[in-house]
Amino acid sequence: MRQLQVFVAASRARSFSEAADKLGISQPSLSGTIAKIEAQIGFKLFDRTTRSLLLTPDGRDLAAVAEDLVRDFESALDGIAVRAAGKRGRVSLAVLPSVAATVLPRALRAFAKQFPEIDIAVHDVLQDRAVALLRNGVVDFAVTIQAGSYPELAYEELGADPFFLVCERGHALARHKTAQWSDLPDYPFIALLPTTSVRRFTDAAMAQAGIAVRPRYEVEQILSAVTLVSAGLGVTALPALTLAMFDERRLAVRPLEEPAIHRRMGVLTLKERTPSAQARFLLEAVRKAFATANKRVFTAAKPPD
């Protein structure tokens, strides 16, 4: 590419000396580069006289091609430099819907102040889809529960998400400060689908408690489960981060114990992929927002005295 840049500069100039001055190199160096190009391609590029420098017909043809190549190359370099400086670009991430509702807005506000021209693509999806997007290189990182055995992925824990009973305020289980998993078989249970991370943890908690609960209703979305609870159709169990997705003042929220289950949340990245400066900044903003959300959401979820 450097040889093409030298040739293009010479093709625009009236002399090799003028071209060399513009490039900041010596005239013999420029002449030597042109001679090497001519030797490689096998034809003469310039007709040189003591007063002028003219392209040969073959030289004019090559100059037209070289102009386009050099312009595209320099434009690409400028684009990379602009992105590296944080002036333009795109960051993509995959997050669980509860993370999108609770943690992400604070992180995105911090990011927008630092990189106002960077576009963000947020995939608020379920666990399996988030992992697939990361493994396929679609997103820079994913915020979700720890994935299975994927040697190409690195996991960094950000916090532990305890589970709570959600029921109507007038429900019998709302009379106590805490609830137990063993209380649930006595009432219609509203479960998330088996494809969700919430369902995997509730099934594990019930197995540890030695109970078997057949869901009366199964839904895919947190808000659907909450709507059914509000309608008096049953109770559900949700992790703390999801509580910010609805107005819990209209419902009763009680810590679930025996066992006390925590959904451990973290960030997944590809080990062999070096994230951009913008992606690293957003990841750090997510870390800080997660720490704040842990304190705020978990405190708000404590039952009244």
Side-chain angles (χ1 to χ4, degrees):
M1 183 55 66
R2 180 57 177 171
Q3 287 183 332
L4 287 179
Q5 289 174 317
V6 169
F7 170 58
V8 168
S11 69
R12 295 171 178 171
R14 292 171 296 181
S15 67
F16 278 1
S17 295
E18 177 184 323
D21 288 341
K22 290 182 178 180
L23 291 171
I25 62 176
S26 66
Q27 190 272 330
S29 176
L30 185 143
S31 297
T33 299
I34 296 299
K36 289 180 181 178
I37 297 174
E38 290 176 332
Q40 289 173 351
I41 61 179
F43 55 82
K44 192 176 181 181
L45 296 173
F46 293 94
D47 288 324
R48 294 180 284 275
T49 69
T50 56
R51 294 185 178 182
S52 64
L53 179 67
L54 298 175
L55 287 164
T56 65
D58 288 333
R60 285 195 296 271
D61 291 341
L62 181 60
V65 175
E67 286 272 4
D68 290 339
L69 292 174
V70 169
R71 182 177 59 252
D72 292 345
F73 178 73
E74 292 176 346
S75 176
L77 287 181
D78 289 342
I80 293 172
V82 167
R83 289 194 296 273
K87 296 178 181 178
R88 190 170 64 239
R90 184 181 181 87
V91 176
S92 299
L93 68 159
V95 298
L96 295 180
S98 57
V99 175
T102 308
V103 174
L104 202 55
R106 179 183 293 269
L108 292 182
R109 282 197 298 270
F111 184 87
K113 292 180 181 178
Q114 183 71 19
F115 298 105
E117 300 301 320
I118 301 297
D119 297 327
I120 301 289
V122 178
H123 301 263
D124 49 337
V125 293
L126 300 181
Q127 161 76 8
D128 291 344
R129 180 60 177 158
V131 173
L133 288 171
L134 178 62
R135 296 183 68 207
N136 292 331
V138 177
V139 298
D140 295 287
F141 61 90
V143 183
T144 179
I145 64 171
Q146 187 168 8
S149 179
Y150 297 108
E152 73 272 29
L153 300 184
Y155 174 75
E156 174 195 347
E157 187 168 311
L158 297 178
D161 201 8
F163 272 74
F164 289 79
L165 168 76
V166 180
C167 60
E168 289 184 288
R169 283 197 167 275
H171 196 278
L173 294 179
R175 300 169 188 169
H176 309 285
K177 292 184 178 181
T178 63
Q180 297 182 2
W181 291 92
S182 58
D183 296 327
L184 301 185
D186 296 332
Y187 306 97
F189 188 71
I190 301 163
L192 276 293
L193 290 178
T195 54
T196 66
S197 64
V198 171
R199 176 63 176 273
R200 296 170 192 175
F201 279 91
T202 57
D203 285 352
M206 291 175 184
Q208 288 185 43
I211 60 173
V213 177
R214 181 178 179 180
R216 180 71 59 83
Y217 305 96
E218 287 185 321
V219 297
E220 186 174 13
Q221 301 298 328
I222 299 292
L223 291 180
S224 298
V226 172
T227 299
L228 296 185
V229 171
S230 298
L233 295 175
V235 301
T236 193
L238 297 174
L241 285 178
T242 68
L243 304 183
M245 300 174 67
F246 58 91
D247 185 1
E248 56 183 284
R249 293 173 298 180
R250 301 177 57 185
L251 298 169
V253 176
R254 301 291 184 264
L256 273 165
E257 300 178 346
E258 298 185 15
I261 292 293
H262 293 76
R263 183 180 65 159
R264 298 195 175 277
M265 304 287 295
V267 59
L268 288 169
T269 55
L270 286 168
K271 293 179 181 178
E272 302 300 324
R273 181 174 180 177
T274 301
S276 65
Q278 297 91 331
R280 292 195 302 272
F281 184 94
L282 181 56
L283 178 53
E284 181 58 28
V286 168
R287 290 189 184 102
K288 294 177 179 178
F290 215 104
T292 301
N294 281 342
K295 297 176 182 178
R296 176 171 50 82
V297 175
F298 298 169
T299 299
K302 290 182 179 179
D305 293 332

